[in-house]
Amino acid sequence: GSRTELRLDRLTRIRLAPNSNCPMLQNRDYYYGTNVDVVVTGGVWDFDNPHQEPNPYKMKREKTKLPHPEKEFWDPDNFMPDWNLGVLMRFSGVRHLEVRDLTLENPTLYGLAINRAEYFTVDHIYFDYNRWNPLPINMDGVHLDSNCRFGRIAHIRGNTYDDMVALNTNDWWDKGPITDIVIEDIYADAGFRAVRLLSKSPSAPVKRVVIRDVRGRYYRDVIGFTRYYEGGDERGLIDDVAVENVFASKDPPPEFRKNMTVSPLIWFQGGLDVGRVSIRNLSREETKWDRPTFLIEKDVK
């Protein structure tokens, strides 16, 4: 609830009971967006994904039964946010949010999802992802959805089976910009991707983002400027991005992803309008995977 801190000892373990199939934690007014001053500190939060429902994205892909079969999961007009998505911890509509000094372990989907938040801090988070249900995919670390601004995400550690930090403006039940975000001090020794910026329409841009102090090895790419979604005539918009102090290299895809497309360190995907971007102090000591440092696809403007 508002004006509340939930505080645990740093290594106190909380495990989701089998077949709970729900987030471990969310703000009280998640659907209406009226909470202010919410703080969560400490704890090792174990979602125990082998004993929960499987990843719903995979369910749809395999055309198995959805929780609400009359609805189309991918259609935002029909999307129901109370579906169990396998997100460990999620917050929406919070002004002044702090999540600090904790470990997130084995979600089915994202570790920490934040939507429609202002003036927020995510600091000193460790991701311990070592199990999955049914596959090690779609398992982001910190996932920002639409209408987030004035945020800082810092000191992020561990390997995730998708983006360590994702800024996605178009894939929750509403769409809108993500602006004025600082992302710093990220490390993974065999990660998928450090940071992803995603926009698929000019009405939902990613703007005014600083990314700095990124280290480690990654098997997809390190920083992705992306549109991702197939179809549609609109172009994504990403503008005013500063990237600095990147000391990273490529890691070969693990066995379970041996056939995936592997991008370079810095990737600009087609279908994007990209404004001002600065990249400086990038150093690459490559010992494992000879992919280019930059790729700008032909449909990028």
Side-chain angles (χ1 to χ4, degrees):
S2 294
R3 300 179 180 87
T4 302
E5 178 179 2
L6 176 60
R7 182 190 306 163
L8 294 89
D9 290 337
R10 176 63 186 88
L11 298 179
T12 297
R13 176 172 291 272
I14 311 97
R15 186 173 65 224
L16 189 62
N19 301 310
S20 297
N21 302 316
C22 64
M24 296 186 75
L25 187 66
Q26 70 182 32
N27 58 298
R28 181 168 294 155
D29 295 331
Y30 181 84
Y31 300 105
Y32 303 103
T34 60
N35 286 130
V36 296
D37 299 328
V38 175
V39 181
V40 180
T41 57
V44 177
W45 298 75
D46 182 1
F47 194 83
D48 192 22
N49 58 21
H51 298 107
Q52 313 299 331
E53 289 179 348
N55 179 346
Y57 289 95
K58 183 61 179 176
M59 290 170 67
K60 182 62 178 176
R61 192 169 298 159
E62 297 296 339
K63 300 181 179 179
T64 55
K65 187 177 180 180
L66 288 168
H68 301 271
E70 75 280 6
K71 301 289 187 180
E72 169 57 62
F73 181 84
W74 300 98
D75 182 354
D77 294 331
N78 291 326
F79 183 67
M80 299 176 66
D82 57 341
W83 285 6
N84 171 46
L85 299 179
V87 176
L88 192 155
M89 193 177 289
R90 64 184 192 175
F91 300 91
S92 182
V94 181
R95 186 178 176 90
H96 300 155
L97 169 69
E98 294 183 34
V99 181
R100 294 185 279 107
D101 303 316
L102 50 82
T103 297
L104 301 180
E105 188 170 313
N106 295 327
T108 300
L109 202 66
Y110 311 144
L112 172 61
I114 299 175
N115 179 55
R116 293 183 291 161
E118 293 183 322
Y119 305 105
F120 61 92
T121 300
V122 177
D123 198 8
H124 285 97
I125 307 297
Y126 179 71
F127 294 107
D128 185 5
Y129 291 10
N130 52 68
R131 295 183 296 178
W132 45 83
N133 183 9
L135 291 170
I137 58 175
N138 308 124
M139 296 170 68
D140 283 358
V142 180
H143 184 99
L144 297 192
D145 288 305
S146 57
N147 296 298
C148 289
R149 63 174 186 161
F150 305 130
R152 179 175 180 267
I153 301 168
H155 311 300
I156 307 298
R157 300 286 185 271
N159 297 320
T160 59
Y161 299 116
D162 214 314
D163 311 313
M164 294 279 283
V165 177
L167 278 56
N168 289 15
T169 63
N170 294 90
D171 70 347
W172 207 240
W173 77 84
D174 58 356
K175 297 179 176 63
I178 296 177
T179 66
D180 303 284
I181 306 295
V182 174
I183 302 166
E184 57 187 341
D185 192 16
I186 295 178
Y187 178 80
D189 59 3
F192 177 87
R193 176 191 287 124
V195 179
R196 178 181 191 167
L197 312 177
L198 186 152
S199 168
K200 69 171 239 182
S201 67
S203 62
V206 178
K207 300 181 72 172
R208 297 187 296 277
V209 176
V210 175
I211 303 167
R212 59 183 172 229
D213 302 334
V214 178
R215 289 175 283 275
R217 299 196 310 274
Y218 301 87
Y219 58 86
R220 181 61 171 89
D221 46 80
V222 180
I223 299 173
F225 296 75
T226 69
R227 181 179 182 275
Y228 180 73
Y229 295 92
E230 301 294 336
D233 297 328
E234 290 189 300
R235 298 175 60 83
L237 174 59
I238 298 176
D239 193 11
D240 280 335
V241 178
V243 177
E244 58 186 31
N245 304 337
V246 177
F247 302 93
S249 60
K250 296 297 299 179
D251 210 47
E255 182 64 24
F256 57 79
R257 283 193 147 169
K258 61 184 179 180
N259 296 321
M260 74 176 298
T261 301
V262 179
S263 295
L265 265 68
I266 309 294
W267 177 39
F268 292 85
Q269 187 180 22
L272 282 177
D273 292 332
V274 180
R276 291 154 293 195
V277 174
S278 67
I279 299 172
R280 67 190 187 102
N281 296 345
L282 186 153
S283 178
R284 176 181 183 182
E285 184 174 323
E286 193 60 65
T287 60
K288 294 202 172 187
W289 203 246
D290 57 346
R291 291 298 186 266
T293 300
F294 294 93
L295 173 63
I296 302 174
E297 294 187 356
K298 62 182 181 180
D299 192 30
V300 175
K301 295 181 181 178

